[in-house]
Amino acid sequence: MQRCNTTLCLSVYIVTFVLGLPANVLAFYTFCKKVRQKPTPIDILLLNLTISDLLFLLFLPFKMQEVMNDMIWDMPYVLCPLSGFVFYMTIYNSTFFLTAVSVERYLGVAFPIRHSLKRRPVYAVAASIFFWIFSIAQLSIVFIVPFIGPEHSPFTTESHNASANSTSGDSRVDVCYENFTEPQLEVLLPVRLELCVVLFCIPFLISSFCYINFIRILSKLQHIDRRRRLRAMGMALGTLLVFALCFGPYNISHIVGFINWKSPDWRDQALLCSTFNACLDPLIFYFSSSAVRGNVGSVIEGVKIRLQRCMSCHLLQALCGGITKTTQDKEHTQEEINAI
């Protein structure tokens, strides 16, 4: 059975949740506001990417509980395929939306006039609906695999599992989406390879083509402000880096698993890289949207004002306390003199 180091995995999950949730909530509020006022294709795509990340973060506590319980699934069974489905579906859904953003940015600089004339929010809405449906259909394998083979029926009771294990001498414990039988692997491993090719390799190649040409074109445009040009180029390189580092290791595990015909022991560790994507996406939002930068600036300014008010209150209280104390000391001294 694959094992995820408790300290490492729990640390990554907690950091991702603590940093990613408030950042994505702020991004969600910003994009909702922008889409209501004046929708643009890139805002619609980033809004859907934010929703995907928020779904991922909302189901992340189930992974935390699983890791804390030494990868033993002690929660209701229905939560196992549901949490796994949302967990994996949102990871792969992110690759689609990141790719769509790269295409949108490339077309904007490569064909500015033609693209601006044909740029319609409805196209982004249609693409978003397709991405959600396609991801849901592809990751439905999570619900199907547990039903392959009678010994892995989801309706098998824990006591029956325990007795079967004691009879067969198998040391397997009740886990979620692990320890697959040979019939299950015959279905799962080819599907994982297909997920790697369709949901990672192809989107990554498209994103690489779009951002490399995006950078090449921007480097030749001298009429754009240098600072703005460098920021856009840095955003493109950063997005490709996030794409490769977050999604690459986990998808490589699919290829290795197909070749060796078993899940690699390091698959859970590779999944941690994909987890980080939920708190790295807000950085892409920050550099991609002036509205997000404006809201972040407003939040920081609000925090500064509150801190200044708190510090002013503390200083005022200390000053008032000092004046009161001085007055009391004078009165006490006068009382001593009168007593003498």
Side-chain angles (χ1 to χ4, degrees), residues 138 140-149 177 180-195 254 257-258 261-263:
Q138 289 287 315
S140 61
I141 187 67
V142 176
F143 292 106
I144 297 172
V145 166
F147 289 91
I148 301 174
Y177 209 63
F180 302 107
T181 61
E182 190 62 30
Q184 290 174 332
L185 289 175
E186 288 178 0
V187 174
L188 183 61
L189 293 176
V191 170
R192 282 180 178 174
L193 183 64
E194 184 260 344
L195 292 176
H254 295 342
F258 182 80
W261 206 252
K262 67 175 183 178
S263 297

PDB file of all heavy atoms in Angstrom, residues 138 140-149 177 180-195 254 257-258 261-263:
ATOM      1  N   GLN A 138     -14.421  12.240 -17.831  1.00  0.00           N
ATOM      2  CA  GLN A 138     -13.144  11.531 -17.785  1.00  0.00           C
ATOM      3  C   GLN A 138     -12.866  10.952 -16.403  1.00  0.00           C
ATOM      4  O   GLN A 138     -12.374   9.828 -16.272  1.00  0.00           O
ATOM      5  CB  GLN A 138     -12.009  12.484 -18.181  1.00  0.00           C
ATOM      6  CG  GLN A 138     -11.981  12.864 -19.640  1.00  0.00           C
ATOM      7  CD  GLN A 138     -11.501  11.726 -20.518  1.00  0.00           C
ATOM      8  OE1 GLN A 138     -10.534  11.048 -20.228  1.00  0.00           O
ATOM      9  NE2 GLN A 138     -12.196  11.499 -21.618  1.00  0.00           N
ATOM     10  N   SER A 140     -14.983  10.125 -14.093  1.00  0.00           N
ATOM     11  CA  SER A 140     -16.023   9.246 -13.557  1.00  0.00           C
ATOM     12  C   SER A 140     -15.475   7.855 -13.275  1.00  0.00           C
ATOM     13  O   SER A 140     -16.120   7.046 -12.591  1.00  0.00           O
ATOM     14  CB  SER A 140     -17.201   9.159 -14.539  1.00  0.00           C
ATOM     15  OG  SER A 140     -16.766   8.630 -15.782  1.00  0.00           O
ATOM     16  N   ILE A 141     -14.260   7.568 -13.753  1.00  0.00           N
ATOM     17  CA  ILE A 141     -13.611   6.289 -13.479  1.00  0.00           C
ATOM     18  C   ILE A 141     -13.458   6.060 -11.983  1.00  0.00           C
ATOM     19  O   ILE A 141     -13.439   4.915 -11.511  1.00  0.00           O
ATOM     20  CB  ILE A 141     -12.231   6.225 -14.183  1.00  0.00           C
ATOM     21  CG1 ILE A 141     -11.608   4.844 -14.053  1.00  0.00           C
ATOM     22  CG2 ILE A 141     -11.298   7.291 -13.638  1.00  0.00           C
ATOM     23  CD1 ILE A 141     -12.330   3.770 -14.771  1.00  0.00           C
ATOM     24  N   VAL A 142     -13.378   7.153 -11.212  1.00  0.00           N
ATOM     25  CA  VAL A 142     -13.236   7.042  -9.756  1.00  0.00           C
ATOM     26  C   VAL A 142     -14.451   6.342  -9.158  1.00  0.00           C
ATOM     27  O   VAL A 142     -14.332   5.586  -8.185  1.00  0.00           O
ATOM     28  CB  VAL A 142     -13.045   8.441  -9.130  1.00  0.00           C
ATOM     29  CG1 VAL A 142     -13.004   8.358  -7.605  1.00  0.00           C
ATOM     30  CG2 VAL A 142     -11.771   9.088  -9.656  1.00  0.00           C
ATOM     31  N   PHE A 143     -15.643   6.584  -9.712  1.00  0.00           N
ATOM     32  CA  PHE A 143     -16.854   5.931  -9.213  1.00  0.00           C
ATOM     33  C   PHE A 143     -16.988   4.500  -9.738  1.00  0.00           C
ATOM     34  O   PHE A 143     -17.638   3.666  -9.110  1.00  0.00           O
ATOM     35  CB  PHE A 143     -18.100   6.725  -9.639  1.00  0.00           C
ATOM     36  CG  PHE A 143     -18.224   8.066  -8.977  1.00  0.00           C
ATOM     37  CD1 PHE A 143     -17.974   9.223  -9.688  1.00  0.00           C
ATOM     38  CD2 PHE A 143     -18.587   8.166  -7.649  1.00  0.00           C
ATOM     39  CE1 PHE A 143     -18.094  10.460  -9.087  1.00  0.00           C
ATOM     40  CE2 PHE A 143     -18.708   9.394  -7.031  1.00  0.00           C
ATOM     41  CZ  PHE A 143     -18.462  10.554  -7.756  1.00  0.00           C
ATOM     42  N   ILE A 144     -16.379   4.226 -10.891  1.00  0.00           N
ATOM     43  CA  ILE A 144     -16.554   2.923 -11.538  1.00  0.00           C
ATOM     44  C   ILE A 144     -15.624   1.857 -10.957  1.00  0.00           C
ATOM     45  O   ILE A 144     -16.040   0.714 -10.737  1.00  0.00           O
ATOM     46  CB  ILE A 144     -16.319   3.058 -13.060  1.00  0.00           C
ATOM     47  CG1 ILE A 144     -17.368   3.996 -13.671  1.00  0.00           C
ATOM     48  CG2 ILE A 144     -16.345   1.698 -13.743  1.00  0.00           C
ATOM     49  CD1 ILE A 144     -17.101   4.348 -15.123  1.00  0.00           C
ATOM     50  N   VAL A 145     -14.366   2.219 -10.688  1.00  0.00           N
ATOM     51  CA  VAL A 145     -13.354   1.249 -10.256  1.00  0.00           C
ATOM     52  C   VAL A 145     -13.772   0.434  -9.033  1.00  0.00           C
ATOM     53  O   VAL A 145     -13.571  -0.788  -9.003  1.00  0.00           O
ATOM     54  CB  VAL A 145     -11.997   1.959 -10.024  1.00  0.00           C
ATOM     55  CG1 VAL A 145     -11.037   1.055  -9.266  1.00  0.00           C
ATOM     56  CG2 VAL A 145     -11.387   2.358 -11.350  1.00  0.00           C
ATOM     57  N   PRO A 146     -14.347   1.046  -7.966  1.00  0.00           N
ATOM     58  CA  PRO A 146     -14.700   0.234  -6.792  1.00  0.00           C
ATOM     59  C   PRO A 146     -15.693  -0.880  -7.082  1.00  0.00           C
ATOM     60  O   PRO A 146     -15.785  -1.838  -6.313  1.00  0.00           O
ATOM     61  CB  PRO A 146     -15.304   1.272  -5.830  1.00  0.00           C
ATOM     62  CG  PRO A 146     -14.692   2.566  -6.230  1.00  0.00           C
ATOM     63  CD  PRO A 146     -14.565   2.489  -7.714  1.00  0.00           C
ATOM     64  N   PHE A 147     -16.448  -0.788  -8.182  1.00  0.00           N
ATOM     65  CA  PHE A 147     -17.453  -1.807  -8.495  1.00  0.00           C
ATOM     66  C   PHE A 147     -16.881  -2.954  -9.329  1.00  0.00           C
ATOM     67  O   PHE A 147     -17.597  -3.903  -9.644  1.00  0.00           O
ATOM     68  CB  PHE A 147     -18.625  -1.171  -9.251  1.00  0.00           C
ATOM     69  CG  PHE A 147     -19.478  -0.281  -8.404  1.00  0.00           C
ATOM     70  CD1 PHE A 147     -19.208   1.074  -8.314  1.00  0.00           C
ATOM     71  CD2 PHE A 147     -20.540  -0.795  -7.662  1.00  0.00           C
ATOM     72  CE1 PHE A 147     -19.975   1.900  -7.532  1.00  0.00           C
ATOM     73  CE2 PHE A 147     -21.320   0.031  -6.876  1.00  0.00           C
ATOM     74  CZ  PHE A 147     -21.036   1.382  -6.808  1.00  0.00           C
ATOM     75  N   ILE A 148     -15.597  -2.852  -9.722  1.00  0.00           N
ATOM     76  CA  ILE A 148     -14.980  -3.904 -10.524  1.00  0.00           C
ATOM     77  C   ILE A 148     -14.428  -4.977  -9.585  1.00  0.00           C
ATOM     78  O   ILE A 148     -13.501  -4.738  -8.828  1.00  0.00           O
ATOM     79  CB  ILE A 148     -13.842  -3.342 -11.400  1.00  0.00           C
ATOM     80  CG1 ILE A 148     -14.379  -2.254 -12.326  1.00  0.00           C
ATOM     81  CG2 ILE A 148     -13.174  -4.450 -12.196  1.00  0.00           C
ATOM     82  CD1 ILE A 148     -13.306  -1.542 -13.123  1.00  0.00           C
ATOM     83  N   GLY A 149     -15.017  -6.154  -9.605  1.00  0.00           N
ATOM     84  CA  GLY A 149     -14.579  -7.235  -8.717  1.00  0.00           C
ATOM     85  C   GLY A 149     -15.435  -7.288  -7.468  1.00  0.00           C
ATOM     86  O   GLY A 149     -15.607  -6.283  -6.781  1.00  0.00           O
ATOM     87  N   TYR A 177      -9.505   4.076  -2.349  1.00  0.00           N
ATOM     88  CA  TYR A 177      -8.943   4.149  -3.690  1.00  0.00           C
ATOM     89  C   TYR A 177      -7.480   3.716  -3.711  1.00  0.00           C
ATOM     90  O   TYR A 177      -6.619   4.356  -4.305  1.00  0.00           O
ATOM     91  CB  TYR A 177      -9.096   5.584  -4.225  1.00  0.00           C
ATOM     92  CG  TYR A 177      -9.227   5.637  -5.738  1.00  0.00           C
ATOM     93  CD1 TYR A 177     -10.301   5.037  -6.374  1.00  0.00           C
ATOM     94  CD2 TYR A 177      -8.288   6.291  -6.509  1.00  0.00           C
ATOM     95  CE1 TYR A 177     -10.425   5.087  -7.751  1.00  0.00           C
ATOM     96  CE2 TYR A 177      -8.390   6.343  -7.896  1.00  0.00           C
ATOM     97  CZ  TYR A 177      -9.468   5.740  -8.507  1.00  0.00           C
ATOM     98  OH  TYR A 177      -9.592   5.779  -9.881  1.00  0.00           O
ATOM     99  N   PHE A 180      -5.444  -1.884  -5.500  1.00  0.00           N
ATOM    100  CA  PHE A 180      -6.334  -2.360  -6.548  1.00  0.00           C
ATOM    101  C   PHE A 180      -6.022  -3.802  -6.923  1.00  0.00           C
ATOM    102  O   PHE A 180      -4.869  -4.232  -6.910  1.00  0.00           O
ATOM    103  CB  PHE A 180      -6.209  -1.465  -7.787  1.00  0.00           C
ATOM    104  CG  PHE A 180      -6.523  -0.028  -7.508  1.00  0.00           C
ATOM    105  CD1 PHE A 180      -5.503   0.915  -7.463  1.00  0.00           C
ATOM    106  CD2 PHE A 180      -7.818   0.390  -7.282  1.00  0.00           C
ATOM    107  CE1 PHE A 180      -5.777   2.247  -7.208  1.00  0.00           C
ATOM    108  CE2 PHE A 180      -8.106   1.723  -7.021  1.00  0.00           C
ATOM    109  CZ  PHE A 180      -7.080   2.648  -6.980  1.00  0.00           C
ATOM    110  N   THR A 181      -7.070  -4.539  -7.269  1.00  0.00           N
ATOM    111  CA  THR A 181      -6.907  -5.911  -7.727  1.00  0.00           C
ATOM    112  C   THR A 181      -6.476  -5.899  -9.199  1.00  0.00           C
ATOM    113  O   THR A 181      -6.514  -4.861  -9.872  1.00  0.00           O
ATOM    114  CB  THR A 181      -8.226  -6.685  -7.592  1.00  0.00           C
ATOM    115  OG1 THR A 181      -9.216  -6.060  -8.412  1.00  0.00           O
ATOM    116  CG2 THR A 181      -8.696  -6.694  -6.146  1.00  0.00           C
ATOM    117  N   GLU A 182      -6.096  -7.058  -9.705  1.00  0.00           N
ATOM    118  CA  GLU A 182      -5.654  -7.158 -11.096  1.00  0.00           C
ATOM    119  C   GLU A 182      -6.759  -6.757 -12.076  1.00  0.00           C
ATOM    120  O   GLU A 182      -6.489  -6.018 -13.043  1.00  0.00           O
ATOM    121  CB  GLU A 182      -5.168  -8.590 -11.384  1.00  0.00           C
ATOM    122  CG  GLU A 182      -4.480  -8.742 -12.724  1.00  0.00           C
ATOM    123  CD  GLU A 182      -3.211  -7.899 -12.841  1.00  0.00           C
ATOM    124  OE1 GLU A 182      -2.548  -7.655 -11.801  1.00  0.00           O
ATOM    125  OE2 GLU A 182      -2.897  -7.468 -13.978  1.00  0.00           O
ATOM    126  N   PRO A 183      -8.013  -7.191 -11.885  1.00  0.00           N
ATOM    127  CA  PRO A 183      -9.079  -6.726 -12.804  1.00  0.00           C
ATOM    128  C   PRO A 183      -9.258  -5.211 -12.771  1.00  0.00           C
ATOM    129  O   PRO A 183      -9.541  -4.594 -13.802  1.00  0.00           O
ATOM    130  CB  PRO A 183     -10.325  -7.444 -12.283  1.00  0.00           C
ATOM    131  CG  PRO A 183      -9.805  -8.649 -11.580  1.00  0.00           C
ATOM    132  CD  PRO A 183      -8.513  -8.224 -10.961  1.00  0.00           C
ATOM    133  N   GLN A 184      -9.104  -4.628 -11.582  1.00  0.00           N
ATOM    134  CA  GLN A 184      -9.231  -3.177 -11.482  1.00  0.00           C
ATOM    135  C   GLN A 184      -8.076  -2.468 -12.187  1.00  0.00           C
ATOM    136  O   GLN A 184      -8.273  -1.453 -12.862  1.00  0.00           O
ATOM    137  CB  GLN A 184      -9.294  -2.758 -10.009  1.00  0.00           C
ATOM    138  CG  GLN A 184     -10.587  -3.159  -9.322  1.00  0.00           C
ATOM    139  CD  GLN A 184     -10.571  -2.861  -7.840  1.00  0.00           C
ATOM    140  OE1 GLN A 184      -9.505  -2.838  -7.213  1.00  0.00           O
ATOM    141  NE2 GLN A 184     -11.743  -2.659  -7.261  1.00  0.00           N
ATOM    142  N   LEU A 185      -6.854  -2.999 -12.034  1.00  0.00           N
ATOM    143  CA  LEU A 185      -5.693  -2.389 -12.679  1.00  0.00           C
ATOM    144  C   LEU A 185      -5.798  -2.461 -14.201  1.00  0.00           C
ATOM    145  O   LEU A 185      -5.325  -1.568 -14.913  1.00  0.00           O
ATOM    146  CB  LEU A 185      -4.406  -3.067 -12.212  1.00  0.00           C
ATOM    147  CG  LEU A 185      -3.979  -2.788 -10.765  1.00  0.00           C
ATOM    148  CD1 LEU A 185      -2.751  -3.615 -10.411  1.00  0.00           C
ATOM    149  CD2 LEU A 185      -3.693  -1.304 -10.560  1.00  0.00           C
ATOM    150  N   GLU A 186      -6.399  -3.532 -14.708  1.00  0.00           N
ATOM    151  CA  GLU A 186      -6.552  -3.668 -16.156  1.00  0.00           C
ATOM    152  C   GLU A 186      -7.410  -2.551 -16.743  1.00  0.00           C
ATOM    153  O   GLU A 186      -7.264  -2.184 -17.916  1.00  0.00           O
ATOM    154  CB  GLU A 186      -7.181  -5.030 -16.488  1.00  0.00           C
ATOM    155  CG  GLU A 186      -6.223  -6.197 -16.261  1.00  0.00           C
ATOM    156  CD  GLU A 186      -6.884  -7.539 -16.538  1.00  0.00           C
ATOM    157  OE1 GLU A 186      -8.086  -7.528 -16.905  1.00  0.00           O
ATOM    158  OE2 GLU A 186      -6.216  -8.580 -16.384  1.00  0.00           O
ATOM    159  N   VAL A 187      -8.300  -2.001 -15.934  1.00  0.00           N
ATOM    160  CA  VAL A 187      -9.140  -0.880 -16.380  1.00  0.00           C
ATOM    161  C   VAL A 187      -8.488   0.454 -16.016  1.00  0.00           C
ATOM    162  O   VAL A 187      -8.431   1.385 -16.822  1.00  0.00           O
ATOM    163  CB  VAL A 187     -10.546  -0.969 -15.738  1.00  0.00           C
ATOM    164  CG1 VAL A 187     -11.380   0.265 -16.080  1.00  0.00           C
ATOM    165  CG2 VAL A 187     -11.255  -2.235 -16.185  1.00  0.00           C
ATOM    166  N   LEU A 188      -7.961   0.537 -14.801  1.00  0.00           N
ATOM    167  CA  LEU A 188      -7.494   1.813 -14.258  1.00  0.00           C
ATOM    168  C   LEU A 188      -6.214   2.317 -14.911  1.00  0.00           C
ATOM    169  O   LEU A 188      -6.103   3.500 -15.264  1.00  0.00           O
ATOM    170  CB  LEU A 188      -7.286   1.678 -12.742  1.00  0.00           C
ATOM    171  CG  LEU A 188      -6.872   2.945 -11.996  1.00  0.00           C
ATOM    172  CD1 LEU A 188      -7.941   4.021 -12.129  1.00  0.00           C
ATOM    173  CD2 LEU A 188      -6.617   2.640 -10.523  1.00  0.00           C
ATOM    174  N   LEU A 189      -5.216   1.456 -15.081  1.00  0.00           N
ATOM    175  CA  LEU A 189      -3.921   1.908 -15.590  1.00  0.00           C
ATOM    176  C   LEU A 189      -3.996   2.471 -17.017  1.00  0.00           C
ATOM    177  O   LEU A 189      -3.393   3.523 -17.291  1.00  0.00           O
ATOM    178  CB  LEU A 189      -2.898   0.775 -15.508  1.00  0.00           C
ATOM    179  CG  LEU A 189      -2.523   0.348 -14.072  1.00  0.00           C
ATOM    180  CD1 LEU A 189      -1.571  -0.836 -14.098  1.00  0.00           C
ATOM    181  CD2 LEU A 189      -1.910   1.515 -13.307  1.00  0.00           C
ATOM    182  N   PRO A 190      -4.704   1.825 -17.945  1.00  0.00           N
ATOM    183  CA  PRO A 190      -4.861   2.455 -19.274  1.00  0.00           C
ATOM    184  C   PRO A 190      -5.610   3.783 -19.215  1.00  0.00           C
ATOM    185  O   PRO A 190      -5.290   4.704 -19.970  1.00  0.00           O
ATOM    186  CB  PRO A 190      -5.650   1.410 -20.076  1.00  0.00           C
ATOM    187  CG  PRO A 190      -5.364   0.108 -19.388  1.00  0.00           C
ATOM    188  CD  PRO A 190      -5.253   0.448 -17.934  1.00  0.00           C
ATOM    189  N   VAL A 191      -6.593   3.870 -18.322  1.00  0.00           N
ATOM    190  CA  VAL A 191      -7.339   5.134 -18.195  1.00  0.00           C
ATOM    191  C   VAL A 191      -6.424   6.231 -17.657  1.00  0.00           C
ATOM    192  O   VAL A 191      -6.474   7.379 -18.119  1.00  0.00           O
ATOM    193  CB  VAL A 191      -8.564   4.948 -17.272  1.00  0.00           C
ATOM    194  CG1 VAL A 191      -9.202   6.296 -16.948  1.00  0.00           C
ATOM    195  CG2 VAL A 191      -9.591   4.040 -17.933  1.00  0.00           C
ATOM    196  N   ARG A 192      -5.578   5.903 -16.689  1.00  0.00           N
ATOM    197  CA  ARG A 192      -4.626   6.886 -16.173  1.00  0.00           C
ATOM    198  C   ARG A 192      -3.689   7.380 -17.272  1.00  0.00           C
ATOM    199  O   ARG A 192      -3.379   8.572 -17.340  1.00  0.00           O
ATOM    200  CB  ARG A 192      -3.804   6.275 -15.028  1.00  0.00           C
ATOM    201  CG  ARG A 192      -4.541   6.198 -13.708  1.00  0.00           C
ATOM    202  CD  ARG A 192      -3.635   5.586 -12.651  1.00  0.00           C
ATOM    203  NE  ARG A 192      -4.265   5.532 -11.340  1.00  0.00           N
ATOM    204  CZ  ARG A 192      -3.721   4.935 -10.285  1.00  0.00           C
ATOM    205  NH1 ARG A 192      -2.544   4.323 -10.403  1.00  0.00           N
ATOM    206  NH2 ARG A 192      -4.345   4.940  -9.122  1.00  0.00           N
ATOM    207  N   LEU A 193      -3.235   6.456 -18.129  1.00  0.00           N
ATOM    208  CA  LEU A 193      -2.368   6.846 -19.232  1.00  0.00           C
ATOM    209  C   LEU A 193      -3.111   7.786 -20.175  1.00  0.00           C
ATOM    210  O   LEU A 193      -2.550   8.780 -20.661  1.00  0.00           O
ATOM    211  CB  LEU A 193      -1.884   5.611 -19.985  1.00  0.00           C
ATOM    212  CG  LEU A 193      -0.907   5.871 -21.138  1.00  0.00           C
ATOM    213  CD1 LEU A 193       0.397   6.470 -20.611  1.00  0.00           C
ATOM    214  CD2 LEU A 193      -0.632   4.577 -21.898  1.00  0.00           C
ATOM    215  N   GLU A 194      -4.377   7.486 -20.421  1.00  0.00           N
ATOM    216  CA  GLU A 194      -5.191   8.346 -21.295  1.00  0.00           C
ATOM    217  C   GLU A 194      -5.394   9.719 -20.657  1.00  0.00           C
ATOM    218  O   GLU A 194      -5.339  10.753 -21.344  1.00  0.00           O
ATOM    219  CB  GLU A 194      -6.540   7.661 -21.552  1.00  0.00           C
ATOM    220  CG  GLU A 194      -7.444   8.402 -22.512  1.00  0.00           C
ATOM    221  CD  GLU A 194      -8.517   9.199 -21.808  1.00  0.00           C
ATOM    222  OE1 GLU A 194      -8.768   8.951 -20.610  1.00  0.00           O
ATOM    223  OE2 GLU A 194      -9.100  10.086 -22.454  1.00  0.00           O
ATOM    224  N   LEU A 195      -5.586   9.763 -19.334  1.00  0.00           N
ATOM    225  CA  LEU A 195      -5.713  11.035 -18.628  1.00  0.00           C
ATOM    226  C   LEU A 195      -4.437  11.854 -18.761  1.00  0.00           C
ATOM    227  O   LEU A 195      -4.482  13.073 -18.947  1.00  0.00           O
ATOM    228  CB  LEU A 195      -6.027  10.794 -17.145  1.00  0.00           C
ATOM    229  CG  LEU A 195      -7.382  10.194 -16.799  1.00  0.00           C
ATOM    230  CD1 LEU A 195      -7.477   9.937 -15.297  1.00  0.00           C
ATOM    231  CD2 LEU A 195      -8.507  11.111 -17.240  1.00  0.00           C
ATOM    232  N   HIS A 254       1.594   8.199 -13.800  1.00  0.00           N
ATOM    233  CA  HIS A 254       0.663   7.408 -14.610  1.00  0.00           C
ATOM    234  C   HIS A 254       1.412   6.608 -15.676  1.00  0.00           C
ATOM    235  O   HIS A 254       1.092   5.439 -15.930  1.00  0.00           O
ATOM    236  CB  HIS A 254      -0.362   8.325 -15.286  1.00  0.00           C
ATOM    237  CG  HIS A 254      -1.269   9.029 -14.329  1.00  0.00           C
ATOM    238  ND1 HIS A 254      -1.446   8.629 -13.035  1.00  0.00           N
ATOM    239  CD2 HIS A 254      -2.073  10.122 -14.492  1.00  0.00           C
ATOM    240  CE1 HIS A 254      -2.318   9.422 -12.430  1.00  0.00           C
ATOM    241  NE2 HIS A 254      -2.703  10.337 -13.294  1.00  0.00           N
ATOM    242  N   GLY A 257       3.398   3.879 -13.910  1.00  0.00           N
ATOM    243  CA  GLY A 257       2.468   2.842 -13.465  1.00  0.00           C
ATOM    244  C   GLY A 257       2.003   1.955 -14.596  1.00  0.00           C
ATOM    245  O   GLY A 257       1.861   0.732 -14.426  1.00  0.00           O
ATOM    246  N   PHE A 258       1.780   2.538 -15.765  1.00  0.00           N
ATOM    247  CA  PHE A 258       1.353   1.742 -16.918  1.00  0.00           C
ATOM    248  C   PHE A 258       2.474   0.820 -17.384  1.00  0.00           C
ATOM    249  O   PHE A 258       2.229  -0.338 -17.736  1.00  0.00           O
ATOM    250  CB  PHE A 258       0.914   2.667 -18.059  1.00  0.00           C
ATOM    251  CG  PHE A 258       0.421   1.947 -19.272  1.00  0.00           C
ATOM    252  CD1 PHE A 258      -0.873   1.449 -19.315  1.00  0.00           C
ATOM    253  CD2 PHE A 258       1.245   1.756 -20.368  1.00  0.00           C
ATOM    254  CE1 PHE A 258      -1.338   0.777 -20.433  1.00  0.00           C
ATOM    255  CE2 PHE A 258       0.796   1.097 -21.500  1.00  0.00           C
ATOM    256  CZ  PHE A 258      -0.500   0.593 -21.533  1.00  0.00           C
ATOM    257  N   TRP A 261       2.940  -1.736 -14.641  1.00  0.00           N
ATOM    258  CA  TRP A 261       1.650  -2.361 -14.378  1.00  0.00           C
ATOM    259  C   TRP A 261       1.328  -2.417 -12.871  1.00  0.00           C
ATOM    260  O   TRP A 261       0.797  -3.367 -12.349  1.00  0.00           O
ATOM    261  CB  TRP A 261       1.566  -3.745 -14.995  1.00  0.00           C
ATOM    262  CG  TRP A 261       0.140  -4.143 -15.290  1.00  0.00           C
ATOM    263  CD1 TRP A 261      -0.606  -5.067 -14.628  1.00  0.00           C
ATOM    264  CD2 TRP A 261      -0.708  -3.579 -16.307  1.00  0.00           C
ATOM    265  NE1 TRP A 261      -1.877  -5.123 -15.156  1.00  0.00           N
ATOM    266  CE2 TRP A 261      -1.963  -4.228 -16.206  1.00  0.00           C
ATOM    267  CE3 TRP A 261      -0.547  -2.596 -17.275  1.00  0.00           C
ATOM    268  CZ2 TRP A 261      -3.031  -3.922 -17.042  1.00  0.00           C
ATOM    269  CZ3 TRP A 261      -1.605  -2.290 -18.118  1.00  0.00           C
ATOM    270  CH2 TRP A 261      -2.831  -2.965 -17.988  1.00  0.00           C
ATOM    271  N   LYS A 262       1.652  -1.329 -12.182  1.00  0.00           N
ATOM    272  CA  LYS A 262       1.254  -1.162 -10.783  1.00  0.00           C
ATOM    273  C   LYS A 262       1.454   0.299 -10.414  1.00  0.00           C
ATOM    274  O   LYS A 262       2.264   1.014 -11.027  1.00  0.00           O
ATOM    275  CB  LYS A 262       2.070  -2.059  -9.857  1.00  0.00           C
ATOM    276  CG  LYS A 262       3.544  -1.701  -9.774  1.00  0.00           C
ATOM    277  CD  LYS A 262       4.254  -2.554  -8.737  1.00  0.00           C
ATOM    278  CE  LYS A 262       5.722  -2.128  -8.604  1.00  0.00           C
ATOM    279  NZ  LYS A 262       6.424  -2.910  -7.561  1.00  0.00           N
ATOM    280  N   SER A 263       0.722   0.735  -9.397  1.00  0.00           N
ATOM    281  CA  SER A 263       0.846   2.126  -8.959  1.00  0.00           C
ATOM    282  C   SER A 263       2.204   2.337  -8.305  1.00  0.00           C
ATOM    283  O   SER A 263       2.586   1.568  -7.411  1.00  0.00           O
ATOM    284  CB  SER A 263      -0.271   2.472  -7.961  1.00  0.00           C
ATOM    285  OG  SER A 263      -1.539   2.381  -8.575  1.00  0.00           O
TER     286      SER A 263
END
